Amino acid sequence: MSATTAVGRSGAESWRVLRLPLLITCVVVLGVLVVMIATAARTSGPFSPDSAEPTGAKALASLLENHGVNVVGTEELRDAVGAGSDRTLLVAPGGSLSRSDWQRIADARWSHVVLLRPSARALDVLAPGVQDVSLGLPKGSRAPDCDLKAAVQSGTATVSGTSYSAPDSAQACYGDGINHTVIRLETEGRIVDVIGSPRSFTNAELATDGNAALALNLLGTHLELVWYVPQFESSNTADDDSDGGKPLIPPDVRYVAWALAFAVFVVALWRGRRLGPVVAERLPVIVHAAETTEGRARLYRRSRARDRAAAALRESAIGKLHKAHGIPRRAEPAAVVTTVAARTGRDPAMLYELLYGWPPVDDAALISLSQELDLLTQEVRRP
């Protein structure tokens, strides 16, 4: 004997019914996955080389590529700790890396490292002697005021934001004479640039003043630029010597999550309870409308519900008056009485009492009300 489901359908029958919807759902999910993976940007968020938002930096990435620099965007720490010889590493603002993570980046021996608004840990490891003075420079066009070739060639630039103090061996540019927003120093055989005004290189402000020229001169020192956008803490934030781990939820999981959510939506839409077509059903007993009305009248009489009986009679009569005169269903009683009085010539006060008055006090009054309402409806129908 074949196993049956809760609704009395065998397993084979259930499979025959479900296989086509399941196949369609799987094909749709696979298609969504392929499209999402193929079109997904490698980075996201503020100052991302793939972001066209005002706070993104897609315009700068395109400018660098147009000048022969291969820009590789990434959110993975492993790409920032690989071999960095003859390459530039740009670390975008945001995220949170431990001291051990920054040390791994330093040990990769990058030829050129650009730090945008770096943390104190990053400065201690990669730019010793440079200190964040926690003093934001007001936005404005500033001259380089230094002998750094990249800055001199760019001329004035519109900068603002974090400023730094630098050791005597460093080159400090674009500041107020004491603290500066662009610092370059050479340490352990590599060039390190500290930039406190990443907003100047975003899509919204790249075309302002000499910002584009400054960005190109600072970042275009090598033919390959690894653009690292930190998203997670890859290891403990404490200053320890533990090895950098991986985030609890990898970034690629979001593609699978979106696909599964879409699959659940498709299944819910398919299996959702909804009304089908009207099905005609033969009634065991046919009850005529007249018998139903007579039965309800007997119930009203037995329970002495003269008020309900009178309300039903008046409602029926008013409905006929509305239809005969084209009166709106939601018309006020005064409008109904005025229209009917003009047609029949009856006294408006008597008509109001007949249509909207008090309920009858006995059966004789109820019968009289019924007769008066019937006579009124016959009058308005008479040509």
Side-chain angles (χ1 to χ4, degrees), residues 281-327:
E281 183 179 0
R282 294 178 61 86
L283 298 177
V285 178
I286 298 177
V287 181
H288 298 285
E291 296 179 6
T292 303
T293 303
E294 188 175 346
R296 178 177 291 184
R298 291 196 185 99
L299 290 176
Y300 283 157
R301 182 178 182 181
R302 181 180 303 173
S303 60
R304 299 181 182 277
R306 301 185 189 92
D307 53 345
R308 293 194 176 185
L313 292 172
R314 283 168 169 163
E315 182 179 359
S316 176
I318 292 173
K320 294 177 182 178
L321 295 175
H322 278 277
K323 185 176 180 180
H325 294 289
I327 305 173

Side-chain angles (χ1 to χ4, degrees), residues 18-149:
L18 297 176
R19 61 186 178 183
L20 181 58
L22 289 177
L23 178 62
I24 295 175
T25 302
C26 291
V27 171
V28 171
V29 170
L30 288 176
V32 171
L33 277 174
V34 171
V35 171
M36 292 179 66
I37 294 175
T39 59
R42 296 195 60 187
T43 60
S44 59
F47 210 78
S48 165
D50 299 313
S51 174
E53 297 293 327
T55 57
K58 188 173 183 178
L60 176 56
S62 301
L63 178 65
L64 290 168
E65 290 179 347
N66 291 338
H67 284 78
V69 178
N70 181 29
V71 177
V72 180
T74 181
E75 295 178 354
E76 301 293 334
L77 178 62
R78 62 173 178 266
D79 295 326
V81 297
S85 179
D86 295 328
R87 296 195 299 168
T88 299
L89 172 66
L90 167 66
V91 183
S96 180
L97 300 179
S98 68
R99 186 182 183 88
S100 60
D101 294 330
W102 288 112
Q103 189 59 53
R104 292 175 63 194
I105 294 175
D107 294 341
R109 312 302 299 176
W110 292 92
S111 298
H112 185 193
V113 178
V114 180
L115 304 175
L116 298 180
R117 205 169 58 227
S119 64
R121 294 193 189 108
L123 293 177
D124 290 342
V125 175
L126 291 169
V130 178
Q131 294 183 351
D132 183 351
V133 297
S134 299
L135 179 63
L137 293 179
K139 183 177 180 181
S141 179
R142 298 180 182 273
D145 291 333
C146 65
D147 56 359
L148 178 62
K149 184 178 179 180

Side-chain angles (χ1 to χ4, degrees), residues 339-348 351 379:
T339 303
V340 176
R343 173 71 182 272
T344 61
R346 291 194 178 199
D347 181 22
L351 279 175
E379 289 180 6

